[in-house]
Every structure is written in C-alpha cells, then in structure tokens.
C-alpha cells in the first residue's frame, strides 16, 4: 500500500509543470515556422517590410521561447526527482528518445536561436534565413522525439520485462520509433502548435487593423497566418481522427472514456455528442447521439464492436488474475533465478505483471486479494473522473472545427484583399486564447485518459513515484506554483508591453536605454503606411 | 551489437558520462561563471549589458550540454539518474531553479529601461549562475563521501539521510571549489570578449583571486580525502558482464588510501590531478594576458583535470552508498541494457561531431570584442 497523498501531490506537480510548459511549447512550434516562412519571403523578394515582420514576431517569439526553455528543463529533471522508480523501471527505453531529443533537436534549436537574434549583420540574409529554418526544424524534431517517448508510454511496444534487472528493457528500437501512436501524436500535436502560432499572429494583426496601425504589416501577417492556420487546423482534425482510430485499436479504455460509453454497443456504435457522465450509476444522462459515427471513427468498419467500459472492466479481471500469477512467479525469481517452473510461469503471464502491481494499491500481498478487492481494482483500471475526459475532448474538438471555420473565413477575405469586416477582425482578435484551451484540453485527454497507468498496462502510476515524504513534494509543488505564476505574470506583462508598442516602436527600442527612432527598418514601415 | 562486449560498452559509457559533464563544465561553465559574477564585475548598466552580450548568442546552446548530459544519464545510467536525483531532492531542485531563472533573466533583463527593474534582474541573473554550480558541487561532495541510501528487492531506492546532512563541511568545500573555479573560468572568458577597459582589468583581478582560492580548496580537498581515508571498494567478484543489478556484489571501505587507491595502483593517472593543478596555476598567472584564448584553453584543461580527478578516483563507483554499501552503484551494475548502450553509442557517434561542428560555426560568426559601441547596434545585440 502506498502513500496516497504522496502520489496525488507528485501527480499534481507533474501535471501543473507539464501543462504550464505546454503553454509555451505550441507557440514556439508554430511561430518558429511562421517566422521562417516570412523570412523566406523577405529573402526572395528583398522587401524590407517582411524583414520587419520577422523581427517583430521574433521579439515576441523570444519572450515566449525563454519561458519554454525555463519550464522544459524542469521536465527533464523531474523524472528523476519525483518519478525515480519510473526512471529505473523504464529508463532503458524511455531515456533513448529523451537523450536523442537533446542531441538531435534541442541542441540545434538552442544554438540557432542565438544566430536568429544575434546574426542579422554577421551572416548573409540567405544564411540567416537557413538558420531560421534550422531553428524551426529543431523545435519540430524536438516535438517528434518527445512524442515518441510519450507514445511509448501510451502504447509500450519494442520492450520486455527483465527479472534479472527488475525493469523493462529494449527489444526493438524500430518498433519504438515507428510506433503508430507516436506517429499520429506527432503530426496531431505539431499541427496544433501551428494553429496556436497562426492564431497568435492572426489575432494580434486583427488588433492592429482594428486600431488602424501598421496596416501593411498586419495585412501581410494575416495572409500568412490564415493560410498556414487553415492547413494546420485541417491537419489537426484529420490526424485527430487517426488518433481516434488508433485509440480504438490500442487504448480502448481511453476511447470508451472519451465517449463515456458504459456498455458495448451493437456495431456500428453511435457517437455521443453531448451528455452528463455519472460515475455513481455508471450511465450517461441526457445523451444526444449521432448514429454510426463512433463505429466508423474507431474501427473504420460497420460491423466491429467498440467495447464499453463495463466490458473492459470485466476483461481486466482476467488480466488481474494473470497478474497475480506473474507477481508470484517474479517473487520466486527474485531469490532463485534458475527456478524453471517460475520462469515458465513468468514467460506465460509476465505481460500482465502490471495488473498484479496494481493490486498492491489495495493490498500488500496480491495473493490476499478478495473478489471484492479484485472488483475494486478492476474498476480502478479506468480513469476515475470520466466527465473530465468526456468534456475536455468535446471542448478540444469544438475548438478544432471552429478554427477551420475562422481560418477559412479569414483566408477567403484576405485572398480578396478585404480586411474591412470589423466583426471578423474582432472575432479573430477575441479568439486568441482558444487554441491554448484546445491544446491543454488535448493534453488532459491524452494523459489523464491513460490513468491509472503511467506505462499503459505495465506500470501503475501509484507504483512509479520516488521515495519522498509528502511534505517534501508539498514544498516543491508550492514553490513551482509560486515561481511559475510570478514568471507568467512577468511574461504576460512584457508580451503586452511589446504588443502595445507594436512593430513601429518595438523594433527601435529593443535593448537600448534610449529610444532610437530613425533606424532604417522603422522608416520602411512608416513609408509603407503612407 | 556483439561487436562490443557489455563490459567494454560500460567503460565507454563511463567515459562518455565524463565527456558530457566536462563538456557542460567547459562550455556552460564559463557562462554560468559570467552570470554569477555579472553584478560584481560590471559596475555600470552598459558594462553589465556588455557582459551579458558576450555570452548572449551562445549560452542557450551551451545550456544544452546539461540537457544532453542529464538525458544521456537517464538513457545509459537509469539507476544513477533515479537514485541521485530523488535522494538529493532539494539540492537538485535548487540547481534546477538556477536553470529556470537563467533564460528569463537573459531575455527579460534589458526589456525595460528602468534602473530598478534591471538591478533586480541582475540579482536574479547572478543567482541563476551561482545555484547550478554551487549545488552541483555540493552533489559531487556528497557523492565522494557516499550517499546514505539503500535499494530494496525491487531496486527502488530509499534515501535515508537528512537535508541538512547534505551541507556537511566536505560537501561545502567541493561546492565552493566549483563556484570559484567556474567564476574564474568565466572571468577568463570575459577577457577574450571585452576591450581593454576597466571592465577587463576587473575581470582579470577577480579571476586571479578566484583561481587562487580554487587552488587552495583543491589541495585541501586532496589532503582531506587522504587523511580521512574516505573511499570504497568492491570485495566480491566484479560483475562486469552481468545484467545490471547492483545487489549482486559486496562492498567495503577501501582502507588505507581511500579514493586515492587507484592513483597509488596506477601512478600514471596522477597526470590528471596534475593537469588540473597546473592548469589553475597557469590560469591564475596568465589571465588577462595578450593571448586570452590560449589561457582560456588552459583553463578548460584545468576543468578536465579537476573533474577527471574525481571521476578516476571513484572508479568503478559512480554513486557509493555510505549506509548500505552493497547498494552502491558502479560502472558494472548501474547501466542500461547492452542493446540500449550500443544504440546510444551509435547516436552519440553520429550527433556529437555534428553538434561540435555547428557550435564551432556559431562561435566563429559571433566572435569579436563587445564594446559600448556594439550595444547601440540592435541588429547584433539582443540583451
């Protein structure tokens, strides 16, 4: 039996620091590509206004990037400080994509961000533009490797449990690299980042147009952002569908939770558009359903059933029974590695060892588990707050479709050079927070939907913490909340300051103590305005 | 994968662990040192901005070394990563605090002209340099003495010491040794990048004093280890080719010579502490000379020597336990699987040269002296 408070605090700390990190990451992802596109236009046309666009959005990118780096390093330390048993248990596999991320991606990104800010006059415009693309490549590769790591947690392929070392070890790197869950997650998440970046540029440009400031600058920014945003929003939704299909394949609990689907339905299952999941009665009230849709998304067929939560719980009872046998075999193997019958038993049932460990949440010795405890443990294998997943998912999807609509409208008007629709500009400006809402909701679906597992089916979250006291984690949790909130206040303050200054003033007063107003690139904006 | 046997790979990864942490110390070490000393060496706002901008374009890439080193530790030494980071919980979090504050103080410090805003950020900036160096030094000092932890039958680690216990005199000695050495290294770097002004003279004299203190502390640490006989040794058969399970061996105190046993057995290894010692001496004498780049390279060698002295002395231990010695983590029983070590070696062989290539290119394009005049050019300066 573990210390429940420790587990809850450790999870809270991870969730808060990760959600926080994920405020900055998607904007870095999207903005780096948008800036690279703008700089390419500058290099190809030689028009200085495009260079100003790169520089101005670059200032905001820099303010955001600093926070992304600051909060990101916490994540890499935290697996060791707070999830030490997890690190021991899966470091052999999970460490690989993380280390490759550092070597192949983060290093690239961090080195070339220096060139981006400091290299304007030191290298040729073409070299600078290439450097910016390398920066964008670095951020995207970084996302790729992190999602390979995360995809493995959702769908642990290419690995096995080694009882000599009491941990999971690598059996195939290529299975981990080409894990279908990781691939779908990567494109989905990166596209979501592009949507965040596009919305950021779009909303602020709408703000400038509404104020009648820097019109040429804002109009060009809208053209880039709406085109890129539309493509990305379409990609997010399509790849979200791919994720749904894969969840139907490998993460049946998550899919059933998203749908709050308690009973297995006759195929093809219908999609619940709206409803109130009730954990007590294990039903969903006031459902509005669309026939056939879920069956099509999850199985891509009309006759394969989608399993409901109650049936999944029944199935997990068998897994738990096998998990107890695996646990017993492992207990023998710990002291007698050559015991042939224990080895054979572990070969057979070892894949369900995780379900045996899950019982340790309820009893010290899984062999003492009564049928009531097994029933309780089986229900524990589905996330506790189904409503959270159900609603997060709907918020995310609603936002996704709204983005397609908004970007399409913007793009349509921009292509007709019509920037005068006040209501549309206002709508664009006010939509600024929505992509973040969608991204964070998506994170909740993906990560909370995996509970109670940290490695789906293999390692219960409750088993993965460090040996720390509750007060230790409480102190650092409070510290992180305090520090992160203060930094966020400063970040938003500076963002607001530079957004308000706008391109016409911000570019001149970057770092110097005095306002310098007669720089040539500022002049170009003013000339363009006239 | 069969090309390299498990024990050879383990040795290679022990060397690579050293390479990555020494790479971090040399390259991120100087900008951490520069950050730590910025409010002391820079007297005016312009001087402080010059100091920040000497490392402005490169500190972010340099900081990647710690990401790399920590990530590689997780992949190649999962037990070490898990046990050290969770056991030394608050110390690691405090070092991390430095890494969190650094990017923001770089990016935000000069974003407003008010003197008060900048002074406050200068203070935070300095702390962001001090914390990682000081607390990493403290970790090293604790590792040398052995950390109170044990592993249970599931190989979960339990730290049994106290928080205050980590601030013992020897650990504090190592922490200050690290701090003064890194600040000296940072001052050395500044003399390359600033013009012949009072600022450079200040960096020179600060650096000289810091080298001197570091030399004294290094010698004290050596005698301390010798006279206290701290150190451990494996007394059972060495499990060099077995699966990584630390509980299959026995360990005892190393006896008469403690951690110096390796040096007495193989006197040729003495070259490493000598390089560290001489490097610091030469650094102290020649800092601020007309050939600052050469002094900087020698200063980097001093870091190799000092950190190498620690690594070689402990071999084959990477994390000794003071309370349950058999739980100690060593080169032979704390690595990842054979396959993972091999795969990660391939990754390092491919990417480390690429990293060194583009890092050198960036260092090359941002070279040159930073002066007050450079600060006016917003095309080349961001902080």
């Amino acid at each position: 039996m573990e210390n429940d408070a420790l587990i809850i605090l450790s999870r809270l700390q991870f969730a808060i620091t990760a959600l926080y990190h994920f405020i900055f990451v998607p904007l870095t992802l999207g903005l780096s590509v948008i800036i690279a596109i703008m700089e390419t236009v500058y290099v190809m046309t030689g028009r200085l206004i495009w260079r100003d666009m790169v520089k101005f959005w670059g200032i905001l990118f820099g303010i955001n990037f600093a926070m992304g780096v600051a909060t990101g390093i916490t994540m890499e330390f935290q697996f060791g400080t707070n999830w030490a048993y997890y690190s021991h248990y899966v470091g052999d596999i999970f460490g690989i994509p993380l280390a490759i991320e550092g070597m192949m991606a983060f290093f690239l990104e961090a080195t070339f961000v220096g060139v981006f800010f400091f290299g304007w006059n030191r290298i040729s415009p073409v070299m600078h533009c290439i450097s910016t693309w390398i920066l964008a490549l670095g951020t995207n590769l970084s996302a790729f490797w992190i999602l390979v790591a995360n995809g493995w947690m959702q769908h642990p392929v290419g690995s096995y449990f080694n009882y000599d070392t009491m941990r999971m070890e690598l059996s195939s790197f290529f299975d981990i690299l080409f894990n279908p869950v990781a691939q779908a997650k990567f494109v989905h998440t990166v596209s979501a980042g592009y949507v965040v970046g596009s919305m950021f540029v779009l909303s602020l440009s709408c703000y400038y147009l509404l104020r009648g400031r820097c019109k040429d600058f804002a109009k060009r920014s809208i053209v880039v952002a709406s085109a890129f945003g539309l493509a990305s929003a379409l990609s997010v939704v399509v790849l979200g569908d791919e994720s749904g299909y894969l969840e139907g394949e490998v993460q049946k609990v998550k899919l059933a939770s998203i749908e709050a689907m308690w009973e297995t339905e006759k195929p093809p299952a219908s999609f619940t558009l709206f409803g109130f999941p009730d954990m007590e009665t294990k039903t969903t009230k006031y459902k509005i359903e669309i026939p056939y849709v879920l069956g099509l998304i999850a199985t891509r067929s009309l006759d394969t059933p989608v399993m409901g939560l109650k049936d999944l719980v029944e199935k997990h009872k068998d897994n738990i029974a096998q998990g107890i046998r695996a646990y017993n075999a492992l207990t023998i193997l710990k002291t007698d590695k050559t015991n042939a019958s224990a080895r054979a038993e572990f070969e057979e049932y070892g894949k369900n060892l995780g379900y045996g460990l899950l019982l340790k949440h309820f009893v010290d010795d899984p062999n003492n588990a009564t049928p009531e405890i097994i029933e309780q443990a089986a229900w524990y294998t589905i996330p506790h707050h189904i409503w959270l997943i159900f609603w997060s998912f709907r918020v995310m999807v609603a936002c996704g479709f709204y983005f397609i609509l908004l970007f399409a409208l913007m793009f349509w008007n921009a292509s007709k050079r019509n920037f005068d629709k006040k209501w549309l500009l206002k709508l664009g400006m006010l939509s600024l927070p929505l992509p973040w809402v969608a991204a964070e909701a998506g994170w909740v679906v993906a990560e909370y939907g995996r509970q109670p597992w940290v490695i789906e089916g293999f390692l219960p979250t409750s088993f993965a913490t460090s040996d720390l006291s509750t007060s230790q984690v409480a102190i650092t949790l409070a510290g992180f909340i305090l520090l992160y909130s203060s930094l966020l206040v400063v970040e938003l303050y500076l963002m607001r300051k530079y957004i308000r200054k706008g391109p016409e003033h911000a570019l001149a007063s970057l770092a110097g103590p005095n306002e310098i107003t007669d720089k040539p690139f500022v002049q170009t904006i003013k000339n363009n305005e006239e | 994968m069969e090309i390299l046997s498990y024990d050879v790979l383990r040795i290679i990864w022990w060397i690579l662990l050293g390479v990555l942490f020494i790479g971090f110390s040399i390259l991120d070490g100087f900008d951490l040192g520069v950050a730590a000393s910025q409010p002391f060496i820079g007297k005016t706002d312009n001087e402080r901005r010059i100091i920040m901008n000497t490392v402005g374009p490169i500190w972010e890439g340099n900081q990647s070394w710690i990401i790399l080193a920590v990530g590689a530790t997780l992949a190649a030494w999962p037990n070490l990563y898990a046990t050290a980071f969770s056991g030394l919980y608050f110390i690691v979090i405090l070092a991390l605090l430095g890494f969190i504050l650094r990017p923001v103080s770089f990016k935000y410090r000069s974003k407003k002209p008010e003197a008060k805003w900048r002074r406050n950020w200068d203070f935070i900036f300095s702390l962001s340099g001090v914390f990682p160096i000081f607390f990493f030094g403290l970790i090293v000092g604790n590792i040398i003495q052995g950390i109170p932890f044990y592993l249970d039958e599931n190989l979960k680690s339990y730290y049994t010491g106290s928080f205050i216990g980590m601030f013992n005199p020897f650990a504090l000695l190592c922490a200050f040794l690290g701090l003064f050495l890194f600040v000296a290294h940072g001052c050395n770097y500044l003399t390359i990048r600033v013009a012949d002004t009072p600022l450079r003279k200040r960096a020179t004299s600060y650096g000289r004093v810091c080298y001197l203190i570091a030399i004294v502390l290094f010698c004290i640490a050596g005698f301390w280890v010798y006279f206290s006989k701290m150190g451990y040794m494996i007394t059972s058969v060495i499990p060099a080719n077995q699966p990584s399970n630390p509980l299959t061996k026995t360990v005892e105190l190393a006896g008469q010579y403690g951690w110096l046993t390796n040096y007495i057995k193989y006197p040729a290894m003495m070259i490493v502490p000598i390089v560290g010692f001489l490097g610091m001496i030469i650094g102290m004498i020649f800092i601020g000379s007309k050939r600052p780049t050469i002094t900087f390279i020698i200063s980097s060698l001093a870091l190799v020597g000092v950190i190498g002295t620690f690594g070689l002395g402990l071999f084959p231990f990477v994390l000794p336990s003071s309370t349950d010695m058999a739980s100690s983590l060593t080169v032979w029983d704390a690595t990842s699987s054979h396959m993972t070590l091999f795969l990660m070696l391939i990754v390092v062989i491919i990417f480390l040269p690429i990293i060194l290539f583009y890092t050198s290119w960036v260092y090359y394009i941002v070279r040159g002296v930073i002066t007050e005049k450079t600060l006016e050019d917003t095309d080349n300066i961001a902080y």
Side-chain angles (χ1 to χ4, degrees), chain B residues 221-238:
Chain B
F223 286 117
W224 194 323
V225 168
Y226 177 74
F227 285 113
S228 69
K229 299 186 175 127
M230 61 175 82
Y232 304 88
M233 62 181 183
I234 301 178
T235 48
S236 59
V237 177
I238 289 175

Side-chain angles (χ1 to χ4, degrees), chain A residues 60-282:
Chain A
L60 304 183
F61 173 81
I63 295 173
N64 173 70
F65 189 80
M67 289 296 285
V69 172
T71 54
I73 196 161
T74 305
M75 305 316 295
E76 202 180 24
F77 278 60
Q78 207 172 186
F79 297 115
T81 52
N82 292 77
W83 301 93
Y85 198 61
Y86 169 86
S87 301
H88 156 73
Y89 206 86
V90 299
D92 198 73
I93 306 135
F94 184 79
I96 298 170
L98 231 58
I100 299 181
E101 189 266 344
M103 246 176 268
M104 181 178 181
F106 184 74
F107 224 113
L108 204 63
E109 175 184 354
T111 306
F112 282 87
V113 83
V115 179
F116 178 79
F117 286 109
F118 287 79
W120 284 102
N121 281 353
R122 300 185 206 231
I123 47 177
S124 70
V126 175
M127 275 311 283
H128 192 276
C129 182
I130 292 171
S131 299
T132 309
W133 275 110
I134 294 176
L135 165 64
L137 176 73
T139 62
N140 282 273
L141 279 175
S142 185
F144 173 76
W145 288 106
I146 295 302
L147 289 163
V148 166
N150 183 271
W152 184 77
M153 294 166 76
Q154 315 279 351
H155 183 42
V157 288
S159 53
Y160 68 103
F161 184 84
N162 182 347
Y163 47 78
D164 281 328
T165 54
M166 292 300 292
R167 66 183 181 198
M168 293 178 79
E169 292 187 354
L170 178 70
S171 60
S172 163
F173 176 64
F174 288 96
D175 285 355
I176 291 167
L177 184 59
F178 297 111
N179 182 351
V181 174
Q183 304 292 324
K185 263 179 176 295
F186 167 61
V187 187
H188 181 65
T189 310
V190 159
S191 306
Y194 297 165
V195 170
V196 171
S198 305
M199 187 64 87
F200 183 77
V201 171
L202 183 90
S203 297
L204 298 182
S205 304
C206 288
Y207 162 77
Y208 291 130
L209 281 185
L210 285 168
R211 294 285 165 105
R213 292 168 56 181
C214 305
K215 283 187 186 153
D216 282 353
F217 181 99
K219 284 176 188 171
R220 282 176 171 83
S221 296
I222 287 182
V223 171
V224 175
S226 60
F228 188 59
L230 180 59
S232 309
L234 285 168
S235 157
V236 168
V237 173
V238 172
L239 264 297
D241 163 67
E242 178 70 19
S243 297
Y245 172 62
L246 287 166
E247 266 150 21
E249 292 272 286
V250 301
Q251 285 189 294
K252 297 189 163 65
V253 174
K254 192 187 277 181
L255 182 76
S257 306
I258 283 171
E259 279 306 299
M261 197 171 87
W262 302 94
E263 316 281 349
T264 304
E265 285 181 31
K266 212 171 85 194
S270 49
F271 176 85
T272 308
L273 191 64
F274 183 86
F276 292 99
D278 184 349
M279 285 305 292
E280 294 293 314
T281 59
K282 302 188 166 60

Side-chain angles (χ1 to χ4, degrees), chain A residues 20-42:
Chain A
Y20 203 89
H21 180 50
F22 207 55
I23 296 175
F24 311 105
V25 171
L27 184 58
T28 299
L29 275 170
L31 215 46
S32 65
V33 177
I34 292 174
I35 288 173
I37 292 172
M38 289 173 173
E39 192 166 352
T40 309
V41 178
Y42 162 63

Side-chain angles (χ1 to χ4, degrees), chain A residues 13 51 55 59 62-67 69-71 73-82 84-85 87-88 91-96 98-104 106-108 110-115 117-123 127 131 162-167 169-173 334 337 360 463 465-468 471-473 475-476 480 483-484 487 490-491 493-494 497-498 501 507-513 516 519 521, chain B residues 6 13 20 45-46 49 53 56-68 70-72 74-76 78-79 81-83 85-87 89-90 92-93 95-97 99-101 103-104 107-108 110-114 117-118 121 136 152-159 193 243-245 334-340 343-344 347-348 351-352 354-355 358-359 361-362 365-368 370 374-383:
Chain A
Q13 180 170 312
R51 185 179 128 131
K55 287 202 142 192
I59 295 173
I63 295 173
N64 173 70
F65 189 80
M67 289 296 285
V69 172
T71 54
I73 196 161
T74 305
M75 305 316 295
E76 202 180 24
F77 278 60
Q78 207 172 186
F79 297 115
T81 52
N82 292 77
Y85 198 61
S87 301
H88 156 73
D92 198 73
I93 306 135
F94 184 79
I96 298 170
L98 231 58
I100 299 181
E101 189 266 344
M103 246 176 268
M104 181 178 181
F106 184 74
F107 224 113
L108 204 63
T111 306
F112 282 87
V113 83
V115 179
F117 286 109
F118 287 79
W120 284 102
N121 281 353
R122 300 185 206 231
I123 47 177
M127 275 311 283
S131 299
N162 182 347
Y163 47 78
D164 281 328
T165 54
M166 292 300 292
R167 66 183 181 198
E169 292 187 354
L170 178 70
S171 60
S172 163
F173 176 64
K334 274 179 200 166
K337 299 233 188 293
K360 301 256 295 177
F463 217 70
T465 56
S466 302
D467 170 53
L468 295 168
S471 59
Q472 279 176 310
V473 185
I475 290 170
T476 53
F480 274 118
L483 176 67
Y484 278 16
L487 290 179
V490 178
E491 202 248 3
Y493 166 77
L494 282 175
K497 181 177 139 97
Y498 278 85
K501 270 190 171 178
L507 290 177
S509 60
L510 266 189
I516 307 160
K519 298 296 277 185
F521 47 81
Chain B
Y6 204 2
W13 266 101
L20 293 177
D45 183 55
N46 268 349
R49 284 187 56 212
N53 281 294
I58 46 182
W59 71 271
E60 226 147 5
N62 292 341
Q63 183 163 290
S64 305
W65 282 92
I66 193 62
I67 310 259
L68 203 62
V70 172
L74 171 55
N79 293 22
Y81 172 81
T83 308
F85 275 40
S86 62
Y89 188 67
F90 281 118
V92 174
I93 297 279
L96 170 65
L97 178 64
F99 288 118
I100 295 174
L101 291 175
V104 281
K107 284 276 187 321
Y108 296 171
S110 299
K111 286 272 189 288
K112 272 176 65 119
E114 285 85 352
W117 167 275
R118 291 186 174 190
W121 277 113
F136 277 159
D152 72 3
E153 51 166 18
N154 296 322
L155 298 187
K156 179 166 179 166
S157 64
Y158 296 84
Y159 179 77
R193 297 297 307 274
S244 290
N245 187 330
T335 64
S336 324
S337 62
H338 196 165
M339 190 191 261
T340 299
L343 176 78
M344 288 306 300
V347 172
V348 170
F351 286 105
L352 207 53
I354 298 178
I355 288 172
Y358 62 66
T359 302
W361 179 72
V362 172
I365 62 163
V366 301
R367 72 191 178 284
I370 309 281
T374 340
L375 291 183
E376 288 166 16
D377 180 1
T378 49
D379 267 356
N380 285 330
I381 291 298
Y383 299 140

